[in-house]
Amino acid sequence: MRQSLFTQPSSRLLPGKWDIFALLLIFTIIIALCWSGSHMGGQFNIGTTIPISLSPWMLPSYALETVLRMFIALGLSFVFSFIVGGLAAKNERAGRIIIPILDILQSLPILGYLSILIVFFIALFPGSLIGPQFAAIFAVFTSQVWNMTLSFYQSLRTVPKELREAADIYQLSGWQKFWRLDTPFAMPGLLWNAMMSMSGGWFFVVASEAISVGNHEVKLPGIGSYIQVAINHSNLHAIFYAIAAMLVVIILYDQLLFSPLITWSEKFAVTEMQEETSSSWFLTLLKRAPLIGRFGSLFGILADRFINFPLFKKRLGAPRKSHQMAETSYSILNKLVWCFSLTLVLVAFIYCGWSFIYANTGIGLKETAHVFVLGSFTALRVFTLIIICSLIWVPVGIWVGLRPKVAQKVQPIAQILAAFPANLFFPLFIISIIYFDLNVNIWCAPLMVLGTQWYILFNVIAGASAIPAELKLASENMQLKGTTKWFKYLLPAVFPYYVTGAITAAGGSWNASIVAEVMKWGDHTLIATGLGSYITENTIRGDLPKLALGVAIMGIWVTVVNRLFWRRLYRFAEGRFSMN
């Protein structure tokens, strides 16, 4: 007889020791975040100074506020990835517009628009601290969302044909396919990129919490503003305190969130064979807690009803569509209207940009050509760094990804290394460059790739983890070894994931140039020749036309490189190395 709530023994209805421990842990986290959220409001006006203390006892409070902003931004990034990435993958016409826009947006420097956005949010919430808080969350969101969206898009474009055929046989609607097929298939890669996004958020946390508005600087309570004040005062002790706080926070959310999610996502691997999997002590704890299990079952029922909502079910007997993502045919009139609309929007955008940058500003052709040349210096650094990082991290990522137990140990270490803001290394680099008389134009480059190289590693690990067990056994049966194994099996298997990581790393390096090409520590400032330093200097001066010119030319550089190189490589990977 099936047991219901009323037929179970009373001992099963009472919480056990694992329930108590799990509930205490969960409620402690919820209460801490709610307490932090209650302190994010308050009165605020331009010119109001929010005191930031360098006392280490304030770091737990600052860390909670920073983490809360980052998780709000991460939640928004998941929603954006599902909507925009899904639309780009499912609709070819939308994809042709969305993907180039994403390529540009991921490379646009945060400083290029943050000063404008904070004015907008302050005007939207006058007299309230909510305005600057929204601006900081939006800045973190823009540092997290692009690689997650591209990862989700890449996964949806490479869903095996056999799985689509199975979905058609079961007559799943588009809504059900999205939640039953597309999202589970994309989940392992998406979660690895979500971890990288959290680290990317840490990389730009200083820029998001210490924002300049005209001649005023708005500092929000958080680790980022704590680091900025420590840098301004050349306080090495405070820097070490901030590093320690970051280590503790990263380890905590890795063990309590990402490690359980990565372990859970392994059940979506496309394989019919038993493989070695990673483990998570927190996920094991939740499984041992019967009360938590009942909450999980209730959530599963609600999720099932959400996915199988009658309105979104497919009507039986309706014409069956092909499982292929076939190109939609449009009439000539439809194409003409579409092209005319796009041209109209593009012309309006160019006209507004031209008027803002060149009308009565004194900026001419000479200045524009100079900024293009500066862009070539930054482009050379980015391209060189991507090659070097690929040679290092692709073999490492494949080795780690093929060993789930190793990946579980590497995961928190990589997150910690990826999370350090470049500003923390300014003292070391400035002292070394001055002491050894090094060329700042060369040695600023490692700071550019400090946080972005991990996009390559995380995506390659995700790709190697997703290799089907059948393919691994086939390579063993064929006794593939040496270069044959690498070039015929391993590299092709992870190549689509690598391209996604390399595109994101390149865009992130362009973005990071605004931090890396201008190094400041106390009274010492070193400036490298490049587009990033041009944007940073004009941001500090408040020269908006030149700032807009720098951002626009960075967008042009990224668009040209992506269209001529990265997108062609992406199409090649999608067509040649997908599992279909």
Side-chain angles (χ1 to χ4, degrees):
M1 183 181 70
R2 184 179 178 182
Q3 288 188 337
S4 68
L5 180 66
F6 303 102
T7 59
Q8 291 184 12
S10 60
S11 59
R12 294 189 182 183
L13 299 176
L14 297 175
K17 60 179 181 180
W18 299 113
D19 285 309
I20 294 173
F21 184 70
L23 288 173
L24 281 175
L25 192 57
I26 293 170
F27 279 119
T28 300
I29 296 171
I30 294 174
I31 291 171
L33 292 176
C34 290
W35 177 85
S36 177
S38 67
H39 287 75
M40 293 180 69
Q43 296 295 319
F44 176 81
N45 292 293
I46 294 292
T48 302
T49 301
I50 301 175
I52 302 297
S53 171
L54 292 182
S55 169
W57 301 108
M58 294 299 296
L59 275 171
S61 173
Y62 291 161
L64 277 173
E65 291 204 33
T66 296
V67 168
L68 183 58
R69 294 187 195 102
M70 295 177 72
F71 275 112
I72 292 173
L74 187 67
L76 295 174
S77 298
F78 270 106
V79 174
F80 185 93
S81 299
F82 287 149
I83 296 173
V84 178
L87 180 63
K90 298 291 185 179
N91 189 300
E92 184 190 3
R93 176 177 280 182
R96 289 178 178 176
I97 299 174
I98 291 172
I99 297 305
I101 292 175
L102 291 180
D103 291 338
I104 297 172
L105 289 176
Q106 71 169 333
S107 62
L108 291 182
I110 290 175
L111 286 180
Y113 50 81
L114 188 54
S115 298
I116 299 172
L117 279 174
I118 190 172
V119 175
F120 167 76
F121 282 113
I122 288 175
L124 193 63
F125 300 95
S128 174
L129 193 60
I130 297 297
Q133 296 284 8
F134 269 116
I137 291 171
F138 186 84
V140 176
F141 167 79
T142 58
S143 69
Q144 293 180 340
V145 68
W146 315 126
N147 66 302
M148 292 176 62
T149 306
L150 288 173
S151 170
F152 192 66
Y153 167 80
Q154 176 259 328
S155 297
L156 263 58
R157 296 290 296 181
T158 55
V159 174
K161 180 177 65 176
E162 295 79 8
L163 295 181
R164 296 197 179 280
E165 289 178 339
D168 286 338
I169 291 172
Y170 283 106
Q171 302 235 346
L172 298 183
S173 66
W175 172 261
Q176 291 172 315
K177 283 181 184 177
F178 181 82
W179 293 111
R180 295 293 190 191
L181 172 61
D182 296 330
T183 301
F185 181 81
M187 193 54 65
L190 184 61
L191 288 176
W192 277 98
N193 276 277
M195 286 193 298
M196 186 61 235
S197 291
M198 283 295 288
S199 299
W202 282 107
F203 191 81
F204 289 103
V205 73
V206 175
S208 66
E209 293 181 355
I211 313 166
S212 296
V213 185
N215 297 322
H216 302 284
E217 190 173 36
V218 178
K219 290 188 177 72
L220 297 172
I223 290 183
S225 54
Y226 184 94
I227 292 171
Q228 184 62 58
V229 173
I231 290 172
N232 293 340
H233 290 83
S234 303
N235 192 328
L236 280 175
H237 292 289
I239 292 291
F240 288 133
Y241 292 145
I243 291 174
M246 288 176 58
L247 287 174
V248 172
V249 169
I250 292 169
I251 291 172
L252 281 176
Y253 71 62
D254 172 75
Q255 292 298 304
L256 298 178
L257 179 67
F258 285 118
S259 182
L261 286 176
I262 291 295
T263 303
W264 167 78
S265 71
E266 289 175 355
K267 70 178 184 178
F268 300 123
V270 183
T271 180
E272 297 179 357
M273 308 188 65
Q274 187 70 27
E275 291 187 279
E276 180 189 11
T277 59
S278 59
S279 60
S280 166
W281 67 267
F282 187 59
L283 185 62
T284 303
L285 169 65
L286 296 179
K287 288 180 178 179
R288 288 180 177 178
L291 190 60
I292 300 296
R294 293 191 191 100
F295 280 115
S297 299
L298 178 62
F299 178 80
I301 294 171
L302 294 176
D304 188 70
R305 291 182 179 179
F306 172 74
I307 295 171
N308 297 312
F309 193 70
L311 183 63
F312 301 127
K313 278 189 174 182
K314 189 173 184 179
R315 293 181 180 177
L316 297 179
R320 293 175 61 182
K321 297 181 180 179
S322 171
H323 57 268
Q324 299 281 2
M325 283 189 175
E327 296 185 7
T328 306
S329 58
Y330 300 99
S331 65
I332 296 177
L333 180 61
N334 188 298
K335 292 179 181 178
L336 289 175
V337 172
W338 178 254
C339 292
F340 176 77
S341 302
L342 286 181
T343 304
L344 193 64
V345 171
L346 184 61
V347 169
F349 180 77
I350 293 174
Y351 174 77
C352 293
W354 183 276
S355 301
F356 183 77
I357 295 172
Y358 294 104
N360 303 319
T361 60
I363 298 176
L365 184 61
K366 184 177 180 181
E367 179 72 12
T368 305
H370 171 65
V371 179
F372 265 108
V373 172
L374 293 178
S376 67
F377 286 106
T378 302
L380 181 61
R381 293 189 188 106
V382 170
F383 192 72
T384 304
L385 290 169
I386 293 300
I387 292 176
I388 294 173
C389 291
S390 299
L391 293 175
I392 295 172
W393 293 120
V394 169
V396 173
I398 291 175
W399 186 85
V400 171
L402 292 175
R403 296 162 177 82
K405 297 294 184 183
V406 177
Q408 187 180 13
K409 294 183 174 74
V410 169
Q411 176 184 319
I413 298 173
Q415 282 191 80
I416 291 169
L417 294 175
F420 282 105
N423 315 62
L424 294 179
F425 292 88
F426 283 176
L428 175 63
F429 275 78
I430 289 176
I431 292 170
S432 300
I433 289 171
I434 293 175
Y435 183 81
F436 294 105
D437 194 24
L438 302 174
N439 188 335
V440 67
N441 290 309
I442 296 175
W443 289 98
C444 74
L447 289 174
M448 289 175 58
V449 79
L450 188 68
T452 58
Q453 61 183 323
W454 310 105
Y455 289 113
I456 296 176
L457 176 62
F458 276 52
N459 275 277
V460 172
I461 291 176
S465 302
I467 297 176
E470 294 83 354
L471 193 59
K472 297 176 185 176
L473 288 177
S475 69
E476 292 177 5
N477 292 336
M478 298 176 69
Q479 299 185 0
L480 298 180
K481 295 180 180 179
T483 56
T484 303
K485 181 177 181 179
W486 278 92
F487 287 98
K488 296 296 185 181
Y489 160 47
L490 293 175
L491 291 178
V494 303
F495 195 70
Y497 291 85
Y498 162 73
V499 174
T500 300
I503 292 173
T504 313
S509 297
W510 280 96
N511 203 331
S513 66
I514 63 174
V515 177
E517 291 180 355
V518 178
M519 292 178 279
K520 184 178 180 181
W521 175 253
D523 297 329
H524 298 282
T525 303
L526 297 179
I527 301 175
T529 303
L531 190 52
S533 60
Y534 180 87
I535 292 173
T536 302
E537 289 181 296
N538 285 292
T539 300
I540 295 172
R541 286 197 294 263
D543 193 335
L544 293 181
K546 287 188 176 180
L547 172 61
L549 176 64
V551 172
I553 289 180
M554 182 175 283
I556 292 172
W557 264 104
V558 172
T559 303
V560 170
V561 172
N562 284 347
R563 299 305 295 176
L564 295 181
F565 180 71
W566 289 118
R567 281 300 140 198
R568 293 185 178 184
L569 195 62
Y570 193 95
R571 285 193 293 269
F572 173 74
E574 186 183 56
R576 181 70 177 81
F577 299 120
S578 69
M579 292 297 178
N580 290 330

